[in-house]
Amino acid sequence: MKAIVIGASGGIGSAVASALESDGRYSDVLKLSRAQTGLDLTDEATILKAALQAREMLQTVDLIFDATGGLEIDGQGPEKTIRAIDPGAMARQFALNAIGPALLLKHFSPLLNKDGPAVFATLSAKVGSIGDNRLGGWISYRAAKAALNQIVRTAAIEIARSHPQAAVVGLHPGTVETKLSSKFKSNHEVFAPSRAAAQLLAVVHGLDASQSGAFLSYDGSAIEW
């Protein structure tokens, strides 16, 4: 099998890439990121270029794993109150956490294998669940991840028409020991990146097309919208 990991220079992305490279089922693992290959989620031209290069190298793939995302952007963390809303900061959250993955789906999903099972997985977050929101706060990040969940759900319906065996899903990785979460640890269990990668890939490798459009936790359980 062949895989693409986007955001492969980050904590979760690098761990996922390493796990796939160690998995004997994968002959090719293409690692893409802004730091390593110039793929910038806020610049569609770089996404298109990377997708064209990936097609030239791999033709089709069995797994696309999007490990991009950001909680603190340009030094600005999540708001604790509606009074702290800044339109520029909110726009940057949407650009990175919702619009960027939508562009990845636009340009990379055509690379998914049409003749067998395939997966496009993107990292979402449980705080993007509207139904599960009991604490408030973090409005821009929550809203961007909620938007991402809708993007995944909608894209899954469309992609099923051309890739009937594909699963397009959003995954909640839990709290992982990375730069993204280092300032915002809660009382939840914190996973090492290698463990998080193993858990997420176990979910990915257990998917089938009937689960396309789902929002799943790292243990495979469904998260309410």
Side-chain angles (χ1 to χ4, degrees), residues 71-72 75-77 138 178-186:
L71 179 55
E72 184 177 77
Q76 196 155 1
W138 291 30
T178 66
K179 288 182 180 179
L180 182 148
S181 64
S182 61
K183 294 182 181 179
F184 306 101
K185 293 177 184 177
S186 64

Side-chain angles (χ1 to χ4, degrees), residues 42-166:
T42 63
D43 184 346
E44 185 177 9
T46 69
I47 296 172
L48 173 58
K49 180 180 178 181
L52 292 174
Q53 292 174 338
R55 179 178 290 281
E56 184 176 346
M57 293 171 62
L58 302 176
Q59 285 76 57
T60 62
V61 298
D62 306 283
L63 170 62
I64 299 171
F65 195 104
D66 168 29
T68 63
L71 179 55
E72 184 177 77
I73 301 174
D74 295 338
Q76 196 155 1
E79 320 94 341
K80 294 182 179 180
T81 168
I82 192 94
R83 297 186 299 276
I85 287 289
D86 175 88
M90 179 174 269
R92 288 190 289 275
Q93 283 287 342
F94 273 78
L96 184 61
N97 290 309
I99 299 171
L103 292 173
L104 294 178
L105 280 160
K106 174 183 177 180
H107 292 295
F108 278 89
S109 63
L111 276 67
L112 291 171
N113 182 9
K114 290 185 178 181
D115 299 321
V119 175
F120 189 111
T122 186
L123 291 185
S124 186
K126 192 174 182 179
V127 295
S129 166
I130 296 171
D132 186 67
N133 186 355
R134 308 282 192 279
L135 298 175
W138 291 30
I139 295 170
S140 296
Y141 184 72
R142 284 184 187 274
K145 288 298 188 180
L148 172 60
N149 292 342
Q150 181 68 287
I151 289 163
V152 167
R153 182 74 170 179
T154 305
I157 295 169
E158 180 177 341
I159 290 169
R161 297 172 188 144
S162 56
H163 298 74
Q165 297 186 63

Side-chain angles (χ1 to χ4, degrees), residues 192-215:
S194 58
R195 179 176 172 185
Q199 292 174 155
L200 293 167
L201 289 174
V203 175
V204 164
H205 291 138
L207 291 171
D208 60 47
S210 69
Q211 295 167 285
S212 194
F215 179 24

